[in-house]
Amino acid sequence: MSDDGASAITVIGFVGSVFSPYYAFARRRGTADPENHVAINVALYGHGAAWAMTERGRGALRRSPDLLEVGPSRMRREERQLIVEIDEIAVPWPRRLRGTIRLDLPALGTENYALDEDARHVWRPIAPVARIEVAFEQPRLAWRGNAYLDHNRGTEPIEAGFRSWSWARLTNPAGTTVCYAVEGRREGPRGFALAFPPAGPPVPGPLPPFVALKPTLWRIARPVASEDASSTRILKTLEDAPFYARSLVAATIGGEPAVGIHESLSLDRFRHPVVQMMLPFRMPRRA
């Protein structure tokens, strides 16, 4: 998020694109290779708003401990920075997205947190409190702000493990708190909260009660963890998709007002054949 709150960016590097209809089809045939379904997803909000997520095949992938390159875009680590170089084509209205993102990395988090009892799905907060510099040539924009870097991995499709998934990163002067809540297909609801102060190790804490905010136009639920229902609200809907929502929210954490990003995901909706047929319009494939 930019310091003035007017702009935001999300970038996700996928090896085995979890939301890919092409990868889902390959799994049904029993021929799925995650390295043949790779993408770098870019979502710009505010000035120059745009979306790009072109899936590519194994020939477009190059990676090492300090590099993830997918076609013309790449993420690379240089000392205490993650540098992301974007060169993509937006959809559904084609236009070029070209720019550079620099994320300052403090001490890197190395601890993994299982999201299910059998640790089939694991989350690692790499840099939960960081600074970002965004400079794009197309569209022309530049800003600085607060940022967050994490990593998820799974040994099974996400829709096989969960019915729903809710996540929020809430920030106030005391630091950043990440709240997870998932409904597993095998074990039911599960959730936790982890606070990251400006300095020092993360602190596990009680998961605040959930406030059910207004669903999206696609009727995706938006339960936000917050200590005060009266102060909890949607500030802006960033993504409103048939199975997924990303929102800017206000909440209360640690007795203080907080602002952050909230995401909710319906995996039952994602599995629906009609939704699977709609996905290629947002996720073209070039292999």
Side-chain angles (χ1 to χ4, degrees), residues 114-122 155 186-187 190:
L115 302 179
D116 62 318
E117 289 182 353
D118 299 321
R120 292 184 175 97
H121 303 269
V122 174
T155 58
R186 292 176 291 266
E187 61 194 58
R190 179 185 179 95

Side-chain angles (χ1 to χ4, degrees), residues 44-125:
L44 289 171
Y45 306 107
H47 173 65
W51 165 280
M53 187 172 176
T54 300
E55 181 175 307
R56 302 179 189 274
R58 65 178 64 83
L61 173 66
R62 190 161 68 95
R63 61 173 172 162
S64 71
D66 294 313
L67 173 73
L68 173 65
E69 182 176 296
V70 178
S73 298
R74 65 192 57 82
M75 303 178 181
R76 55 188 174 88
R77 186 174 69 171
E78 287 189 2
E79 297 180 349
R80 302 303 292 270
Q81 280 195 330
L82 178 70
I83 301 172
V84 184
E85 297 165 310
I86 299 298
D87 189 356
E88 298 289 336
I89 301 297
V91 292
W93 313 116
R95 63 187 178 99
R96 187 168 294 279
L97 302 182
R98 180 182 286 152
T100 301
I101 302 158
R102 295 179 181 272
L103 187 75
D104 292 330
L105 300 175
L108 301 185
T110 58
E111 188 167 353
N112 292 317
Y113 298 86
L115 302 179
D116 62 318
E117 289 182 353
D118 299 321
R120 292 184 175 97
H121 303 269
V122 174
W123 166 65
R124 175 186 291 184

Side-chain angles (χ1 to χ4, degrees), residues 13 52 64 80 114 154 170 206 211 215 218 252 270 277:
S64 71
R80 302 303 292 270
L170 301 166
V211 179
W218 284 98
T252 298
F270 172 69
M277 288 189 293

